Amino acid sequence: MSPKTTNTSSSAPLLTMRNVHIKGLSDETWVDIINGVDLDLNRGEVLGLIGESGAGKSTLGLAAMGFCRDGCKITDGSIEFDGLDLLSQSRQQLRQLRGRRIAYVAQSAAASFNPAHRLIDQFCEAPLKHDVMARSEAETYATSLYERMNLPDPDEFGLRYPHEVSGGQLQRAMTAMALSCRPDLIIFDEPTTALDVTTQIEVLAAIRDIVKQFNTAAIYISHDLAVVAQMADTIKVLLKGDEVEQATTAKMLKSPKEDYTKSLWAVREYARAEQPLVTGQQPVIEITNVTAGYSPRQDILKDVSFAIHKRRTVAVVGESGSGKSTTARVITGLLEPRMGSVSFAGAPLPANYQDRTRDQLRHVQMIYQMADTALNPKLRIRDLIARPAAMYLGLSGRALEDRVRDLLRMIEMEPDQYIDRLPSELSGGQKQRIGIARAIAAEPGFIICDEVTSALDQLVAEGILKLLDRLQSELDLSYMFITHDLATVRAIADEVVVMKDGNVVEQGPKSEMFVPPHHAYTELLLGSVPEMDPKWLDRLLESRGADNIGDAAIARMK
Amino acid sequence: MSLISVLIWLPIVVAVSLGAGWLFRQTLIRLVNAPTAKFLRTAPLTASFGMLTITIYVTCAVFAPLIAPFGESEILSASFEPWAAPYILGTDNLGRDVFTRLVYGARNTVGIAFLITALAFVAGTLLGIYSALKGGIIDQVVGRLIDVLMAIPSLIFSLLMLTIFGTSVISLVLVIATIDSTRVFRLARSVALNIVQLDYIEAAKLRGESTVYLITREILPNATAPLAAEFGLRFCFVFLMISSLSFLGLGLQPPTADWGSMVRDNAELISFGDITPLIPAGAIAILTIAVNFVVDWLLHRASGLKD
Amino acid sequence: MKNLIIMIIKRLALGVLTLFLLSLLIFLSVEALPGDLAQEILGQQATPEAVAAIRRQLGLDLPPHIRYIEWLGGMVQGDFGTSLALKRPIIDLIAPRLQNTLFLTLYTACIAVPLAIILGMMASLFRNSYFDRISNATALSAISMPEFFVGYILIYFLALSGYFPSMANITPSTPLLEKLYACFLPALTLTLVVTAHMMRMTRAAIINILALPYIEMAHLKGIKPSRIIFRHALPNALAPIVNVVALNLAYLITGVVIVEIVFVFPGLGQLMVDGVRFRDVPVVQASSLVFASAYVGLNLLADIISTATNPRLMRQK
């Protein structure tokens, strides 16, 4: 190898990118993904890369390894790692760097581990192939890393196959694997995005601990500012392939310079006033002692009861598998409960949606998480919105056309511009607005919002929340808001229902829910949501203890 | 012709075919509007050759009486006349003009294959989507039944069925269409299963839409791409199948001109070094190759694989 | 392991059920025969007495469910009934021919399976190279050719000049080497068609796996491409490849019928086609059942092998 690799003077940056341009193939034309980004990273430094989807974060992260996905190419600029020009290295030379000196931690650990091999074999592969360690040495090292990362039964842990361990454990196992050759640099590509909040914490704690201990430099990619604030020394903000600004974490949080960055921060502050509870009226939707499941042997919901009143928003929170979405399916009539009932304005609803009258169907509408799959891609906006108006209200011809245009104006989209488009010609936020228009076209009394903002970027999400808020007061709507994001709850809810394993563990007005004392699980859930304070994770670990977070803490509750 | 001379001629034939394909593509690009032209430009030479071939076959089938010099089953001379005017490809075992029968064969064989595929498609697609949409016990029962039908190799199954129902054109069409619709059912069901679990179908169900609306407006328009490619593949399959049956003497019955039975009728010539029976067989092969090339291109595009 | 055994038992039960339903289907389809089988055999001018006699002989006077049980019972014990056309026990007709057909299928499989897997792996390794494109176009062409076209072309080039026999006339007593020589052209015909199918499907199976995140992860760990194919892709591609092989061996069963006719090969396919021509219903029924059983059996075997190689099933808590 070239003698330059021995250049280890601590003053020179470990990674230098200059004016990097990357293009990607989209529909048979090359489009810009990264247009001229500079990046410097010193030894032991953690750089947070932040941006919305499509900002080019992952592409830039992979470029730091000299790697491009199929259909991407680096067209200009230079990437230097420890004095080596990565763009002029041969494939073989790059292979010797990857895994050994630069490692990668992917978003989905479940998909990134080979299902056919044991964890320990996958851990040892890089050290063995790069001649860094012997097999036995690598195994001992793995055990020590597993132990350090609080993985259960560290001696035996590596003998399992990927499908035999939980998501949070797998993500830590992948971090351990990245450390297997003691690299100088690790790229973390949204390592906790796919995890629940309580699990996210234990992975964050483990990653931070290990990065500090080995003094490894890292690039931490995320769309979640609060997460990056815990991990990074410096933060770089990207927007559509351009750098917006870069500053140290503390400075970035306190006084962002650019408008775009400020707007990202501002989102978190949106909150509306709690709506007054109208007393003396039947609740719009009342769920009474519902027990339900997909097979008779296993109940997903266990004796769930709560009510939603007129013009109020009830947020149902909980982690994956808590039964939030199943509750929605029972209300809509897609899943018949084994016991219990659902009523609308005092009158019971038939358990199966096929037995409901057209008017009953009209009054319960739904807005979905993924606007992409919630709209038929072959129908035009006009037809998508017109269908419920025509079906339920019997509109046709001129009247129908006018109604569609009114609805488009209500969701703040210019009718002439959008009415003849297909869903694929809209942005994510616009698609979600069409979903809302389709729901209100039925003139319902009640709408279920299933994680409506979680697939959207923060700014767009805020717009959607504001729109829903406005429509609620204009149209006297009641909402059931399914979410795992407590920031959304703070922003829009009047009441909160906390669910865990199919049970309602706590419920009450928002004003009470965010004030202690809580049920232990609610406290854990609330406490696990990262805050925009770089010291948040430190304080949390100090107050709870490193082995009382995430799964371990849940296990203690039982 | 020896093996050596074939090896010399083969690359030349391939090059000329691809060149013709290129010319055809360029001509088409000039004739059509911009978006279609952009689409056509992505066609590799193999697919262009495929499109050209399909065009030629369709022309032959449509204008068969104008192109063919003689009547379809007209007995003109002694059997097995050599290749010489006016019988450019000689005559067959009964003294009919081979070239004429070849042209009519395009109409009969291709036409029947197309009819069968279309029938199988309508039945298989509708049943497959219906089954995926309804799910539960209906899906289970229909699925198992189709599995059993598919557990018999299709050629064997059609032989069995033709024994029972005889070898009339109607029974041929119905038997093969039934067998083929099971394969279409499988694909349509799996495509529909992916669509049915999407939220817009749930939204439509909760709106109270009828089954007919769900199938025709919500599911079918989103299943056209995979189904179109499958149509090509199924056509090839059906076409090879009826040719094989005709070759076995169980397909289209004389005096209808049909490529499979032409091979069979003239097969004995091969042992005298006469390649006449290879011509209808080659006609079958070339059409199937052409359709496969086009389908391969469409599938490649649909899968979004990048070069 | 326990799960695996339960799984295998389940699949076997399902296979037996399928075979049972198949036999019912084959039996019932003959029931649906327009007109009377006895009348059919004797022709229109037969006397009613003669028809009645043959009905009794064939057991046609018994109710259908009794006949089905007797027929199926006979089949299981190897009694396939009597051929109407040849007036001989069907088992005597089928046994030697089945042996010949199995020999031809096995011969083809021994050449085609390794060839196809190697070619398919190479094509996936050198994806989008000229090797890949040419082999892909060639395979596509080979798939598109009817078996009789390939067969006659081979006869034209390799048999007329006297290299190989165009008629594969073998008996069970023919020595092995001579058999291999005599069956070379039919085996080659089948190989060409089946290899093309198998190669394309193998390639597709491996390429599917190469697009998965764990393969990208292996690249990012600095692993060599050859190791990525053999260590990371292949163990996971095994199940789909086994399925591909089984599917194509099952396809061979169909292809064999045509090839047997082209090369006048004394196999089961020829027997069945003759049976169809003479409307020899018991022969057609029996050979359909044999073909279908082989088909079901192969698919069952593939199912079991491909699930058995899946670590998820092998080790479940």
Side-chain angles (χ1 to χ4, degrees), chain B residues 181-193:
Chain B
S181 64
T182 59
R183 272 79 179 167
V184 179
F185 170 88
R186 265 276 180 90
L187 180 92
R189 179 174 171 274
S190 74
V191 169
L193 270 184

Side-chain angles (χ1 to χ4, degrees), chain A residues 245-258 261-262 265:
Chain A
E245 64 176 309
Q246 175 171 350
T248 60
T249 303
K251 200 172 156 207
M252 187 69 101
L253 290 176
K254 216 184 299 151
S255 49
K257 276 199 300 256
E258 300 296 321
T261 322
K262 282 180 195 156
W265 271 230

Side-chain angles (χ1 to χ4, degrees), chain C residues 170-249:
Chain C
I170 60 164
T171 62
S173 59
T174 318
L176 182 66
L177 266 182
E178 205 172 301
K179 246 188 186 174
L180 288 177
Y181 176 69
C183 295
F184 182 74
L185 287 187
L188 187 61
T189 309
L190 284 172
T191 302
L192 282 176
V193 179
V194 168
T195 305
H197 268 288
M198 233 186 300
M199 180 211 136
R200 273 173 65 85
M201 289 160 96
T202 306
R203 174 184 180 272
I206 295 183
I207 284 181
N208 266 342
I209 283 169
L210 290 181
L212 294 176
Y214 61 80
I215 298 295
E216 181 178 282
M217 192 68 210
H219 279 289
L220 292 174
K221 276 160 81 180
I223 308 298
K224 276 188 296 194
S226 57
R227 188 176 157 88
I228 287 179
I229 294 269
F230 286 103
R231 172 90 184 153
H232 288 272
L234 209 54
N236 294 294
L238 217 56
I241 290 178
V242 167
N243 272 320
V244 165
V245 169
L247 199 70
N248 284 286
L249 291 185

Side-chain angles (χ1 to χ4, degrees), chain C residues 155-164:
Chain C
I155 289 183
Y156 183 81
F157 288 115
L158 297 176
L160 289 187
S161 32
Y163 298 120
F164 293 98

Side-chain angles (χ1 to χ4, degrees), chain A residues 488-506:
Chain A
T488 311
V489 177
R490 281 202 188 100
I492 198 160
D494 301 311
E495 275 176 63
V496 184
V497 172
V498 182
M499 291 188 74
K500 179 175 180 293
D501 299 332
N503 294 299
V504 174
V505 294
E506 198 167 8

